[in-house]
Amino acid sequence: MRIYSWRFILVVATAVSLIGYPKAASATTVDVTIGPGGNLVFSPSSVTIHPGDQVKWTWSSSGHSTTSGSPGLPNGIWDSGIHNAGATFTRTFNSAGTFPYYCTPHGGCCNMVGTVTVVNASPTPSPTPMPTATPSATPTPASMLGNISTRSFVQTADNVMIGGFIVQGTQPKMVIIRAIGPELTPFGVPNVLANPTLELHDGAGAVIASNDNWQTTIIGGIITQDQVQEILDSGRAPTDTRESAIIANLPAGNYTAIVRGVSSTTGVALVEVYDLSPDADSILGNISTRSFVQTDDNVMIGGFIVQGSQPKMVIIRAIGPELTQFGVPNVLANPTLELHNGTGALIASNDNWQTTIIGGIITHDQVQEILNSGHAPTDPMESAIIANLPAGNYTAIVRGVSNTTGVALVEVYDLQ
């Protein structure tokens, strides 16, 4: 195992907690019909509720699902499974944010997608306000989960690298997304992707921005002007002209960054998202990355940061067989997961989440905790680790048992 081959540029992101408001006086249930009249739609396709409210989906026609995430990139928050007419599925939403979802058989082909937006209820005004009262400062979060950067071997077709992230909050979030290849060479990474390209998709799967070579802006979608100076001013400009970058001011929603090689070339690359507006009333949510896992230097390596004065409880997952139901071919049949700290030391590992490996920071059986988290993998061969992590940099490494290869997903969820 070569620690030096793991050195890659970690994302440094600062998130700001949302201001907490009281819940609505009583929870309500909002009804959504799936496939009314045989049409490939959710009706209504977009609903707005408050924390504590429920959404109830009712099947009007057969062969559909309600699955959180964007087509081809489930984020694991919920999945009803595929059901037929007359079925129902209900979920309670306890936190503010924007939650895109789709039908697994018809999201990608037919744009059968929907959105649940959860907004904090307006605070009830005091009947006798004090005119000289000093407003309280917005509380600073004790700890935050920084976003993830992922390094893996980029192939072609279904085996490109796909990174998903969520913007949550009341204000747009300014970010820079980067696709890095040649810059990895000085860190001892072999077989880098010589000329990576980058696409940004919204929650409906539409391309909203693209770039090939960051010093040449591609105007279109949400990009309306040359971005070269903005990229330079961000302090995050790639060091090689062949690498790609996009600056975007994104409203709340689910987004996907796709990294490919020019002319179907292959190689090791890094996808990253940096927060350029840490003071905005919005945060970057949990991030997952899907790519083809090979062996040796070409395994999948995800880095994330815990920031703050208190430890952060997270669950890290390595998903393979679960992707089959979403039409992903050549999945990694039996992924293993390692967690390393900022010095490269192994602090936790897992192979098959229903069997806890005691050692490092794992001191007791975790199976029930994983079940209680609501993020248990659906296949027993997939891996998961729950960890209470102090501030620092961490690396999650996904491999296949016995050097097997295939498409896998690495994810980090904030459990607080």
Side-chain angles (χ1 to χ4, degrees):
M1 186 178 301
R2 296 192 295 171
I3 293 178
Y4 286 102
S5 69
W6 302 341
R7 290 182 179 173
F8 58 96
I9 303 168
L10 290 171
V11 174
V12 179
T14 303
V16 178
S17 65
L18 299 178
I19 299 174
Y21 288 122
K23 292 183 180 179
S26 59
T28 61
T29 299
V30 175
D31 292 307
V32 175
T33 302
I34 300 180
N39 296 313
L40 300 180
V41 296
F42 297 96
S43 181
S45 62
S46 178
V47 298
T48 300
I49 60 176
H50 298 298
D53 291 347
Q54 295 180 329
V55 175
K56 179 182 179 182
W57 288 270
T58 301
W59 276 251
S60 180
S61 55
S62 298
H64 305 300
S65 79
T66 167
T67 304
S68 62
S70 57
L73 192 66
N75 59 26
I77 298 176
W78 79 85
D79 182 19
S80 67
I82 298 173
H83 295 294
N84 297 322
T88 62
F89 178 82
T90 301
R91 188 181 191 280
T92 301
F93 292 80
N94 292 317
S95 59
T98 300
F99 302 89
Y101 65 93
Y102 64 103
C103 171
T104 53
H106 305 110
C109 70
C110 310
N111 199 33
M112 188 173 177
V113 298
T115 304
V116 177
T117 301
V118 185
V119 298
N120 288 303
S122 298
T124 303
S126 170
T128 56
M130 297 295 291
T132 58
T134 301
S136 299
T138 302
T140 301
S143 61
M144 299 174 292
L145 178 62
N147 53 303
I148 198 171
S149 64
T150 305
R151 195 194 95 186
S152 71
F153 195 90
V154 177
Q155 296 196 20
T156 60
D158 291 306
N159 298 332
V160 295
M161 185 158 57
I162 304 173
F165 64 95
I166 299 172
V167 174
Q168 296 172 308
T170 59
Q171 295 179 347
K173 172 65 65 181
M174 184 73 74
V175 298
I176 183 170
I177 306 111
R178 311 195 323 165
I180 301 299
E183 190 173 320
L184 299 175
T185 300
F187 297 95
V189 178
N191 305 315
V192 301
L193 186 62
N195 194 349
T197 68
L198 180 63
E199 291 179 359
L200 180 62
H201 296 247
D202 63 16
V207 179
I208 59 174
S210 63
N211 183 252
D212 174 26
N213 304 340
W214 68 272
Q215 292 184 349
T216 302
T217 300
I218 297 176
I219 304 295
I222 62 173
I223 301 179
T224 59
Q225 61 184 14
D226 188 273
Q227 294 198 327
V228 175
Q229 192 58 50
E230 289 181 81
I231 293 172
L232 288 168
D233 292 343
S234 74
R236 306 294 183 185
T239 61
D240 192 285
T241 58
R242 294 169 294 175
E243 296 170 327
S244 300
I246 294 168
I247 286 183
N249 196 30
L250 301 175
N254 195 56
Y255 298 92
T256 303
I258 300 179
V259 178
R260 296 182 173 89
V262 169
S263 301
S264 296
T265 50
T266 62
V268 177
L270 184 72
V271 62
E272 306 175 297
V273 183
Y274 289 88
D275 185 351
L276 298 183
S277 57
D279 294 329
D281 193 7
S282 58
I283 61 173
L284 287 172
N286 302 314
I287 295 184
S288 61
T289 306
R290 194 191 93 188
S291 71
F292 194 88
V293 177
Q294 296 196 22
T295 60
D296 299 324
D297 290 302
N298 299 330
V299 296
M300 185 156 59
I301 305 173
F304 64 97
I305 298 173
V306 174
Q307 298 169 312
S309 59
Q310 298 294 324
K312 172 64 63 180
M313 185 72 73
V314 299
I315 182 170
I316 306 113
R317 311 195 321 164
I319 301 299
E322 188 175 323
L323 299 175
T324 302
Q325 63 184 303
F326 301 104
V328 178
N330 305 316
V331 301
L332 187 62
N334 193 349
T336 68
L337 180 61
E338 293 179 359
L339 180 62
H340 296 251
N341 65 15
T343 67
L346 178 66
I347 60 174
S349 64
N350 184 251
D351 174 25
N352 304 339
W353 68 273
Q354 293 180 349
T355 302
T356 299
I357 298 176
I358 304 296
I361 62 173
I362 301 179
T363 59
H364 61 278
D365 189 273
Q366 293 197 328
V367 175
Q368 191 59 51
E369 289 179 77
I370 293 172
L371 288 168
N372 294 342
S373 75
H375 296 294
T378 61
D379 192 284
M381 291 185 293
E382 295 170 328
S383 300
I385 294 169
I386 286 182
N388 195 30
L389 300 174
N393 297 341
Y394 297 91
T395 303
I397 300 178
V398 178
R399 297 183 172 88
V401 169
S402 301
N403 288 324
T404 51
T405 63
V407 178
L409 188 72
V410 61
E411 303 174 299
V412 182
Y413 289 90
D414 184 345
L415 296 183
Q416 297 170 320

